[in-house]
């Protein structure tokens, strides 16, 4: 009754990705080591929206990434998840209502841009929706849209007249930590922005919030009539408390009215660890961690210098995984090397038994 027209035409606050994955989007944990999947904006390939398309390259058919969560405002009308894509390989879009699959669609990318629509019926009791894109090959994406079916079929529309994308510039350290949204003090306190859509006679407004609840506004940026405006902002507004997690919030206004969704970027500004990318000889700090580059670098930046191969890393050393069939060994040398490459020392924990070596022949998991 409150939404007689069915609800907004687009429930995604980020339907264009000119600076890569935004807040709420992330690569699946099992494939985020920078080997199986690469995701980055492609300025040389504009999408149907006019913004640079997002390029996804995968060598593992199980590689996937998550689309930002969204909420269906009118669950009694049919909805559609639509996007524009092109490319090669096999790719699948899956929409979830909470943990239930609402629709799964083969994107079937081709050489030319095409629009794919995945219709689904919302679940009345679902609290949140999300989607994943899974596959292998090379895929370009743009102009994502989720909304009531009748509005989506009218053609692509964003949630507002403009959108704001945020990202960190490449850092000065090796390896670059901008993908982890970490900046060391050696890096300038700068964030990139890109405004797309119709920002004529508008202003970009931004503010920074720190862990103490303090908020400072950054200078307003006047926007001209271009459909793609980018630049940088300095967020060094807490000189007495420059470290920690800082949330940068951005939106576009015209005549005092907001004409874009809110967007945000959480930057973790840290001192570079003394033993960055090398062993810390006397560190007592360790955790269980997956052997992927993102996890290792993030924890190393936080001062974690040990991993115990238990739970998250058990597949690197557990007998269940290394000798699944008697005499057939599958050593995880690449994963072990990855820990050591970035200066993480290993506490090995021998454990588990394969099916052939235990009376529990039907065991599905090692523990």
């Amino acid at each position: 009754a409150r939404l007689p027209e069915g609800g907004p035409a687009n429930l995604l606050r980020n339907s264009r990705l000119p600076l890569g994955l935004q807040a709420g989007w992330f690569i699946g944990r099992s494939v985020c080591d920078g080997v199986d999947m690469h995701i980055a904006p492609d300025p040389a390939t504009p999408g149907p929206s006019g913004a640079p398309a997002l390029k996804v390259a995968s060598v593992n058919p199980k590689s996937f990434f998550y689309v930002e969560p969204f909420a269906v405002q009118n669950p009694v009308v049919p909805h559609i998840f639509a996007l524009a894509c092109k490319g090669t390989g096999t790719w699948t879009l899956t929409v979830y209502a909470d943990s239930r699959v609402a629709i799964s669609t083969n994107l079937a990318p081709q050489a030319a841009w095409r629009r794919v629509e995945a219709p689904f019926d919302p679940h009345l009791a679902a609290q949140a929706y999300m989607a994943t894109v899974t596959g292998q090959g090379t895929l370009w994406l743009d102009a994502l849209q989720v909304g009531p079916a009748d509005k989506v079929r009218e053609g692509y529309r964003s949630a507002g007249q403009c959108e704001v994308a945020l990202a960190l510039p490449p850092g000065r350290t090796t390896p670059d930590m901008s993908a982890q949204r970490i900046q060391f003090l050696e890096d300038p306190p700068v964030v990139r922005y890109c405004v797309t859509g119709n920002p004529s006679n508008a202003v970009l407004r931004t503010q920074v919030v720190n862990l103490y609840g303090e908020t400072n506004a950054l200078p307003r940026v006047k926007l001209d009539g271009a459909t793609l405006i980018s630049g940088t902002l300095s967020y060094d507004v807490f000189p007495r408390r420059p470290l920690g997690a800082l949330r940068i919030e951005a939106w576009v206004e015209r005549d005092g009215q907001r004409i874009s969704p809110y967007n945000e970027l959480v930057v973790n500004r840290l001192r570079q660890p003394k033993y960055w990318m090398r062993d810390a000889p006397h560190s007592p700090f360790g955790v269980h961690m997956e052997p992927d580059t993102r996890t290792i670098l993030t924890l190393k930046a936080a001062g974690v210098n040990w991993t115990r191969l238990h739970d998250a890393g058990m597949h690197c050393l557990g007998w269940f995984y290394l000798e699944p069939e008697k005499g057939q060994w599958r050593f995880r040398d690449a994963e072990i090397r990855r820990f050591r490459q970035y200066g993480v020392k290993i506490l090995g924990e021998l454990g588990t038994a394969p099916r052939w070596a235990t009376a529990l022949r039907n065991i599905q998991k090692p523990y």
Side-chain angles (χ1 to χ4, degrees):
R2 186 169 54 87
L3 299 167
E5 297 182 358
N10 199 341
L11 299 169
L12 298 176
R13 65 178 179 178
N14 296 289
S15 66
R16 303 181 284 265
L17 300 164
L19 295 182
L21 299 185
Q22 296 296 293
W25 302 62
F26 59 99
I27 303 173
R29 184 183 66 178
S30 62
V31 294
C32 60
D33 58 15
V35 175
D36 290 334
M37 177 173 271
H38 298 269
I39 301 181
D42 186 359
T45 306
S49 74
L54 184 74
K55 182 180 180 181
V56 185
S58 168
V59 298
N60 184 340
K62 296 182 180 180
S63 297
F64 68 99
F65 67 91
Y66 291 92
V67 176
E68 66 183 39
F70 59 93
V72 170
Q73 297 191 17
N74 190 340
V76 300
V77 299
H79 278 60
I80 291 176
F81 193 118
L83 54 81
C85 67
K86 72 172 187 174
T88 61
T90 303
W91 298 89
T92 301
L93 169 69
T94 304
V95 180
Y96 296 89
D98 291 336
S99 60
R100 296 169 291 188
V101 174
I103 184 67
S104 187
T105 299
N106 181 6
L107 295 179
Q110 302 173 4
W113 285 102
R114 61 188 294 264
R115 182 174 167 91
V116 179
E117 296 184 354
F120 66 95
D121 291 322
H123 292 271
L124 289 174
Q127 297 183 9
Y129 293 76
M130 65 186 309
T132 60
V133 176
T134 306
Q136 183 179 36
T138 303
L139 181 72
W140 284 266
L141 294 174
D142 186 42
L144 291 94
Q145 184 176 7
V146 184
D150 56 346
K151 292 189 176 182
V152 173
R153 290 195 178 103
E154 293 175 355
Y156 164 70
R157 291 166 56 189
S158 60
Q161 297 180 43
C162 300
E163 289 183 6
V164 185
L166 298 169
L168 293 183
R172 295 178 177 176
T173 59
T174 301
D176 175 25
M177 296 295 291
S178 59
Q180 280 74 258
R181 294 169 182 163
I182 291 174
Q183 281 187 335
F184 294 127
L185 282 181
E186 291 79 4
D187 300 320
V190 169
V191 63
R192 299 167 60 202
Y193 70 85
C194 183
V195 179
T196 57
N198 177 23
S200 59
N201 300 316
V203 294
L204 173 66
R205 296 195 58 184
T206 50
Q207 62 183 23
V208 186
V209 185
N210 67 11
L211 287 173
Y212 302 92
E214 300 170 319
T215 301
N216 274 338
L218 301 183
R220 300 186 182 191
V221 178
K222 293 184 178 180
L223 304 173
D224 58 25
T227 58
L228 190 72
I229 303 173
S230 36
T232 60
L233 299 165
S234 174
Y235 62 87
D236 186 18
V237 293
F238 299 110
R240 295 178 58 189
R241 292 169 169 168
L243 299 176
L246 300 162
R247 187 174 70 248
I248 299 167
E249 304 170 346
W251 66 97
V252 178
E253 286 186 2
R254 181 185 294 124
D255 299 328
Q257 300 295 316
R258 183 168 58 87
I259 60 172
S260 78
Y262 292 105
N263 201 7
E264 67 178 29
L265 175 69
V266 176
V267 180
N268 299 282
R269 191 154 178 82
L270 311 173
R271 292 187 177 90
Q272 181 176 312
K274 180 178 180 180
Y275 293 99
W276 180 241
M277 297 296 97
R278 58 194 179 103
D279 290 351
H282 306 296
S283 173
F285 298 109
V287 297
H288 301 170
M289 68 177 82
E290 293 282 353
D292 63 76
T293 302
R294 274 175 174 259
T295 300
I296 294 171
L297 288 176
T298 300
L299 292 172
K300 183 71 175 177
V304 175
N305 294 292
W306 284 86
T307 180
R308 183 172 78 143
L309 297 186
H310 180 80
D311 292 340
M314 179 60 77
H315 62 286
C316 297
L317 195 62
W319 187 19
F320 179 92
Y321 299 97
L322 300 190
E323 194 183 9
E325 303 294 336
K326 190 173 183 179
Q328 297 182 10
W329 292 91
R330 300 177 182 176
F331 293 110
R332 306 300 178 98
D333 293 340
E335 287 87 344
I336 297 298
R337 290 194 189 99
R338 194 172 297 131
F339 284 127
R340 300 300 298 125
Q341 174 186 354
Y342 298 113
V344 174
K345 299 202 284 187
I346 298 171
L347 176 61
E349 182 177 290
L350 301 176
T352 72
R355 295 184 181 91
W356 61 267
T358 176
L360 301 175
R361 302 293 182 182
N362 296 323
I363 188 171
Q364 297 301 313
K365 294 183 179 181
Y367 51 84

